[in-house]
Amino acid sequence: MRRFLQPLLVAAVLLAGLPTSWAETPDDVFVMALQFDDIITLDPAEVFEFSGAEYAANVYDRLITFDTEDMTTLVGGVAESWSLSEDGRSYRFKIREGMRFHSGNPVTAEDAAYSLRRVVRLNKSPAFILTQFGFTPENVIERIRVLDEGTLEIETDRAYAPSFVLNCLTATVGSVVDRTLLEEHETDGDMGHGWLRTHSAGSGPFTLGTWRPNELLILLRHDSYWRGAPAMARVIIRHIAEPATQRLLLEKGDIDIARNLGPEQVEGLRDNPAIRIREAPKGALYYLGLNQKNPILAKPQVRRALRYLVDYDGIAGTILAGRGVVHQAFVPRGFFSALEERPFSFDPAEARRLLAEAGLAEGFSVTMDVRNTAPTIDLAQVLQASFAEAGIRLEIIPGDGKQTLTKYRARNHDIYIGLWGPDYQDPHTNADSFAHNPDNSDDSADKNLAWRNGWEIPELNRVTEAAVLERDAAKRAALYGELQRAVQADSPFVIMFQSVEIIAERQNVRGFVSGPTFDTVFYRNVVK
Amino acid sequence: MISVALTFLGLLFVTFIIARVIPVDPVLAAVGERASADVYAAVRAELGLDLPLYEQFARYLANVFQGDLGQSVLTAKPVLADIARVFPATLELATTATLLGVGLGIPLGVIAAVNRDRWADHVIRVFGLMGYSVPVFWLGLVGLLVFYAELGWVGGPGRLDVFYEGVIESRTGLILVDSLIAGDLEIFSNALRHIVLPAAVLGYFSLAYISRMTRSLMLDQLTQEYITTARIKGLSERRVIWVHALGNVRVPLITVIALSYASLLEGSVLTETVFAWPGLGLYITNSLFAADMNAVLGGTIVVGALFIGINLFSDLLYRLFDPRVR
C-alpha cells in the first residue's frame, strides 16, 4: 500500500506549497457573486430581466433617475432639468452639458432622441413603457424631437399625470445610447441591436469589459463619468448558482458581496464579524391569483375566506425569514401612494364562517400551480396546511417556472402562486396589472393579471384610467388609495408579502445601493 | 457507418420532438411574460414556430448538416460558438478526473482482487462504495469547506481566481494548456489549484466504478489456468499479476474507461454548479430551464456525437490490443 500512498502525499505537499489565493480582493476591484442566468440581452431597449436591468443601470445614464439617498425623489440624469407645457403634453428636457459616452463622443439631445425612438422602433418587450404614451414607429420623429443641441422635447398623446410620465422615463428604456457608435455597428437597419446585445454604448459610471453569459461579467471604470469617476476600477460579477458556494467565497474574502444567499446561509453568517447583513426592500409582491373561471373561486365569500387562511406573520418569520414582509396592497411600500393597511390576519374560524355562508361548510378541492423553486414551493406547502383548517383540500401542482407561467397565461389554473415585480417605479404599473382589464375575452391582446384570472371590472377600469391622467399629485394618490382598497377587500388577488433582498457584504465595503426596483441597483458609490 | 448515421438521426428526431411537445412556450421564454401580442407574434415567426412541425424539423436537419445549430436565445450567439466556449472547461475537468480515476482505480482494483476477502480488499471496496453512493454535490461542498475555506490548500470555485481572467490568450480553451503555451507558470499553478478539487470529486466517482470493474475482471483472470502455469514456470508474482493477468483485462477495461470518460464529458451538472465551473452540463441545464431549445438540441447533439466518437475510438483500440479482432 505504501507505494500508492507515496505519490498522493507528494502531490498534497506540492499543492500546499503553491501560492495561496488572494486573502482579500484588491482595493479598487469590487467582486460580486450573483445569479445572473436570467440575462438574455445587454441592449437597454430590450432588457427586461432583473439582472439585465441592474447591468443597464450601471452602464447607461437615463434621462432622469432617482436620488440614491431617497428613492422617491426624481433627479436629473442626462437631463439636467425639465419643464412641462401648459397643455400637459409636451415635456422639455435640457441636456446636461459636458457629458461624454465611454467612446469619448459627447452626449447630445440627438442621442437622447435617437435612444427613445430606437426603443419604439425596435419594439422589444419593454417598449410598451414608452409606447403607452402614444408613440409609434411612424410618429416618433415628430413626437420625440430635438429643438437644439441641448434640448429634447417629447409630446405625449394625452395629458397624463406628469409623475407617471417621468417615472416611466426612469426605467431601463430611458437609457441614453451612443448614436454615433451604434450607427457604425448597424446591420440591415437594426439600429445596432444585434451588436448591442453583447456590447455597450453608454455614458454611465462603468463600461462593459468582459461578458460571458452565465459565467462572468466585468465592468470597467468610466474615467470621465459626469458625477466623477467611481472609486472602483473594475467590478467583477461572477455567476455563482449555488448559494452555499457564494457563502464560502464571501467568508474566505474572495468576493466582497453575495447576493443570493438563502436563510440557512444568512443564519450561518450572522455571527461572523467580517460580514454585514443588510435587508433591501424590493417592489416584488407574493400573491395568489384565483381564477374566476372556476365557479367556486368566483364566489365573493370564498375569495374573502382565503384572505383569512394565510398565516401572514408565521410565514414571514419562518419560511421567508427576512426575505419578505407582510404587505396586502398592490402598490409596494417605497412607491408613490402605497397603502400600508393590513386588514387581514390568520383567522380560520372567520374563514369557515364565510365558507358556510357560501354553502361550502364542508370545504372544497382545488389545485394550485406552483413554481418549483424556493421559497415559493415552501410557501405553497404551508398554505396547503392552513387551507385545510377550513376544509379546503389544496392539491399542489409543482412545475418549472416557464411551464406554470404558460399555463397561467392560458387561464388554465385554479390558483396560481406568483411573484410580481413592477415594470417601472410608478403605481400605474401595478394598477394596470391588478385593477385594469378592458377586454376579458380569451383572445385579448393584453394578458395582464386581472385578465389571467378572468376578472371583469368595468368600474375599476375607469378609476385606473382616470388615475394616470390626474395631474394633481394628492388627488392621484387618493385614486390609487381607492383602487388598492377595492382590490384588497374583494378581488381574485390575495396579496401577501413584499419581497426583501438580503445582501451579505464584507465589513469594509460601503456604498452599495439596492433600491426598490431591479433597475435601481447602483455600484458607482462603492468604496472599500 | 450506417448504424452510426441512423443513431444520430434518431437522436436528432427524438430530441426535436421532445423539445416541441414539452408544455413550455419558448416564445414566452424569449420575450418575457409582459410582452405585447405583436412582439410575441414577431418572435414566434422569427423562431420559425409558426410553421408546421415537419417543416420545422426539415429546416432544422438541413441546418444541422450545414454545421449550423442555430442561435441561442439566452446568449444571443450561435449555439456552436457557445459550445466551443463551454466545452473546453468540461474537457479539461473530465480528462483530469479520468486520469485520476484510471491512475488510482486500476491499481486499487488489482490490489483488491489479489487480496480478495482480506482487509485491503474490504477497505478498497468500502472506499469505492462510498464514491458510488455519496452524492457528488455534498462531497463537493464538504471538499470546498475543508480544503478551500478551512485549510486554504486549493483554489475556490471557478477555473481561475477572477483577477487572472483574460490575462492569457485563449488558444485551446484549456487553461492548463494555454498557460503553459504562454509560459505563465503563475496562472498554470492557479488553474491547477482550482481544478484539483472538482477533478478529485469527479475522479473519485470514476475511480469507484473503475476499481470495482477492475477487481471483478481480475478475479476472473486469476482463477484461469494460464495464471497457474505462469506461477509454476516460476515467474515472479508481480509479473504474473501486473503483466499477465492485467494484460488480459485491458480490452474490457478500455470499454469501462471509455464509458466513464464519455459520461464525464457530458458535463456533470451538480459538480459544475457547486464549483461554478462553466462547462457543458451547466450550459445545457441552464438552456433547458430557459426553454432555449436550440441550445438544448445543440448540446444534446454534441453529447451524442461524443458518445458515438468515443465508442468508435475504443473499438479502434480493441484492434490494437486484441490480435483476435485484427
Side-chain angles (χ1 to χ4, degrees), chain B residues 12 15 19 31 40 59 106 114 155 172 175 181-182 224 251 275 293 304:
Chain B
L12 278 176
T15 22
V31 299
Y40 182 94
R59 278 185 176 208
I106 293 179
V114 174
T172 59
I175 296 182
I181 293 176
Q224 303 270 333
V251 172
F275 290 97
M293 285 311 164

Side-chain angles (χ1 to χ4, degrees), chain A residues 171-205:
Chain A
T172 305
V173 285
S175 302
V176 175
V177 297
D178 187 337
R179 180 179 60 115
T180 319
L181 188 61
L182 286 183
E183 281 175 350
E184 282 168 26
H185 292 282
E186 181 163 313
T187 40
D188 305 329
D190 72 345
M191 303 181 92
H193 172 62
W195 181 80
L196 199 58
R197 291 190 74 183
T198 53
H199 294 81
S200 75
S203 59

Side-chain angles (χ1 to χ4, degrees), chain B residues 11 262 265-267 280 284 297-309:
Chain B
L11 177 76
L265 280 178
E266 263 179 68
L280 187 62
I284 297 178
L297 280 167
T300 317
I301 289 166
V302 169
V303 170
L306 273 172
F307 257 91
I308 296 171

Side-chain angles (χ1 to χ4, degrees), chain A residues 125 212 238 254 409 421 423, chain B residues 31 33-34 148 157 162 165:
Chain A
S125 305
R212 295 210 289 265
R238 282 181 60 189
D254 280 343
R409 283 175 56 104
D423 294 329
Chain B
V31 299
E33 64 168 309
R34 280 164 244 182
Y148 160 67
V162 279
E165 291 286 356

Side-chain angles (χ1 to χ4, degrees), chain A residues 335-390:
Chain A
F335 278 46
F336 171 67
S337 79
L339 189 68
E340 306 224 355
E341 296 159 18
R342 41 168 298 190
F344 301 101
S345 55
F346 185 45
D347 188 350
E350 176 64 9
R352 278 193 296 271
R353 191 191 66 76
L354 286 163
L355 289 183
E357 198 182 300
L360 293 162
E362 298 301 309
F364 58 92
S365 294
V366 71
T367 65
M368 175 151 79
D369 288 285
V370 183
R371 192 187 183 125
N372 196 8
T373 51
T376 315
I377 193 87
D378 312 300
L379 207 67
Q381 282 164 2
V382 173
L383 291 174
Q384 189 176 41
S386 61
F387 280 19
E389 294 200 25

Side-chain angles (χ1 to χ4, degrees), chain B residues 302-318:
Chain B
V302 169
V303 170
L306 273 172
F307 257 91
I308 296 171
I310 287 179
N311 269 323
L312 277 177
F313 184 67
S314 65
D315 282 352
L316 291 178
L317 282 185
Y318 275 12

Side-chain angles (χ1 to χ4, degrees), chain A residues 7-316:
Chain A
L8 270 182
L9 282 174
V10 171
V13 169
L14 276 178
L15 207 62
L18 291 172
T20 46
S21 44
W22 298 81
E24 294 271 310
T25 57
D27 284 344
D28 62 348
V29 180
F30 180 51
V31 187
M32 172 156 71
L34 173 74
Q35 294 169 354
F36 60 72
D37 46 356
D38 56 333
I39 297 184
I40 53 172
T41 176
L42 298 181
D43 185 339
E46 188 181 27
V47 163
F48 212 29
E49 296 73 37
F50 297 160
S51 313
E54 180 173 324
Y55 157 83
N58 290 286
V59 170
Y60 293 90
D61 277 309
R62 288 161 268 186
L63 269 181
I64 42 179
T65 182
F66 289 101
D67 185 356
T68 51
E69 299 290 314
D70 168 18
M71 289 282 182
T72 53
T73 307
L74 288 172
V75 294
V78 170
E80 191 176 278
S81 59
W82 54 92
S83 59
L84 179 56
S85 67
E86 277 297 305
D87 66 357
R89 287 177 51 201
S90 295
Y91 294 76
R92 193 171 284 189
F93 297 92
K94 186 173 180 307
I95 304 298
R96 194 179 296 278
E97 277 179 30
M99 281 180 71
R100 299 218 164 252
F101 286 110
H102 305 143
S103 63
N105 295 329
V107 180
T108 65
E110 283 290 352
D111 293 294
Y114 173 84
S115 307
L116 299 180
R117 290 171 187 159
R118 186 172 175 274
V119 170
V120 175
R121 283 188 176 148
L122 289 176
N123 196 20
K124 298 294 176 186
S125 305
F128 75 91
I129 299 174
L130 294 184
T131 56
Q132 62 186 343
F133 300 115
F135 302 122
T136 62
E138 293 73 37
N139 72 15
V140 278
I141 293 284
E142 174 201 329
R143 297 266 181 93
I144 299 174
R145 50 192 174 245
V146 176
L147 299 186
D148 58 56
E149 201 177 84
T151 317
L152 167 79
E153 188 168 78
I154 65 173
E155 184 190 334
T156 57
D157 59 345
R158 292 201 278 169
Y160 295 96
S163 53
F164 173 44
V165 177
L166 295 171
N167 285 339
C168 284
L169 287 173
T170 67
T172 305
V173 285
S175 302
V176 175
V177 297
D178 187 337
R179 180 179 60 115
T180 319
L181 188 61
L182 286 183
E183 281 175 350
E184 282 168 26
H185 292 282
E186 181 163 313
T187 40
D188 305 329
D190 72 345
M191 303 181 92
H193 172 62
W195 181 80
L196 199 58
R197 291 190 74 183
T198 53
H199 294 81
S200 75
S203 59
F206 296 97
T207 176
L208 178 62
T210 306
W211 165 235
R212 295 210 289 265
N214 293 334
E215 186 186 338
L216 187 70
L217 176 61
I218 299 181
L219 305 181
L220 308 173
R221 172 164 63 200
H222 177 203
D223 287 318
S224 45
Y225 180 56
W226 68 275
R227 284 189 177 94
M232 295 296 117
R234 284 198 293 167
V235 176
I236 300 178
I237 306 168
R238 282 181 60 189
H239 172 66
I240 310 280
E242 173 52 40
T245 308
Q246 291 199 3
R247 176 188 161 181
L248 282 179
L249 283 162
L250 183 69
E251 284 189 295
K252 192 75 183 157
D254 280 343
I255 57 172
D256 297 309
I257 184 165
R259 302 279 301 281
N260 307 94
L261 301 183
E264 320 84 78
Q265 285 88 33
V266 172
E267 275 318 305
L269 287 174
R270 286 208 193 270
D271 298 329
N272 187 334
I275 312 288
R276 185 190 315 118
I277 308 281
R278 279 201 294 144
E279 288 170 0
K282 290 284 161 184
L285 302 171
Y286 287 97
Y287 73 98
L288 302 179
L290 317 175
N291 193 346
Q292 298 301 292
K293 291 190 156 192
N294 177 319
I296 293 178
L297 297 176
K299 293 181 187 228
Q301 296 95 331
V302 173
R303 297 197 295 245
R304 202 165 169 82
L306 292 181
R307 287 163 159 71
Y308 287 108
L309 286 174
V310 179
D311 183 2
Y312 299 93
D313 294 312
I315 294 172

Side-chain angles (χ1 to χ4, degrees), chain A residues 1 3-4 8 12 15-22 24-26 29 31 37-41 46 48-50 123-125 127-128 194 197-198 211-216 218 234 236 238-242 244-245 248-254 400 402-409 419-423 429 433 444-447 449 452, chain B residues 23-25 28-40 43 46 71-77 82 85-86 104 107-108 111 119-120 123-124 137 141 144-145 148-166 186 189-190 192-194 196 238 242 273-276 278 282-283 286 288-291:
Chain A
M1 283 298 280
R3 260 182 309 149
F4 301 105
L8 270 182
L15 207 62
L18 291 172
T20 46
S21 44
W22 298 81
E24 294 271 310
T25 57
V29 180
V31 187
D37 46 356
D38 56 333
I39 297 184
I40 53 172
T41 176
E46 188 181 27
F48 212 29
E49 296 73 37
F50 297 160
N123 196 20
K124 298 294 176 186
S125 305
F128 75 91
R197 291 190 74 183
T198 53
W211 165 235
R212 295 210 289 265
N214 293 334
E215 186 186 338
L216 187 70
I218 299 181
R234 284 198 293 167
I236 300 178
R238 282 181 60 189
H239 172 66
I240 310 280
E242 173 52 40
T245 308
L248 282 179
L249 283 162
L250 183 69
E251 284 189 295
K252 192 75 183 157
D254 280 343
D400 164 60
K402 298 281 183 305
Q403 204 178 335
T404 53
L405 187 60
T406 304
K407 193 171 167 191
Y408 188 32
R409 283 175 56 104
L419 180 63
W420 178 261
D423 294 329
T429 178
S433 303
S444 164
D446 188 8
K447 294 178 166 34
L449 299 185
R452 288 182 206 174
Chain B
V24 171
D25 184 344
L28 201 58
V31 299
E33 64 168 309
R34 280 164 244 182
S36 61
D38 54 329
V39 174
Y40 182 94
V43 173
E46 205 178 295
Q71 186 97 359
S72 157
V73 176
L74 203 60
T75 66
K77 287 181 178 158
D82 274 346
R85 182 173 55 85
V86 298
L104 293 174
L108 287 181
I111 292 170
W119 68 268
V123 169
I124 291 169
F137 189 75
L141 274 177
L144 274 175
L145 194 67
Y148 160 67
E150 290 296 325
L151 299 172
W153 287 3
V154 301
R159 297 177 74 190
L160 279 177
D161 282 354
V162 279
F163 318 103
Y164 292 115
E165 291 286 356
E186 198 180 329
S189 82
N190 190 269
L192 198 61
R193 291 172 56 86
H194 278 267
V196 160
R238 187 189 282 188
W242 294 95
T273 305
V274 174
F275 290 97
L282 214 50
Y283 176 72
N286 275 331
L288 190 63
F289 284 136

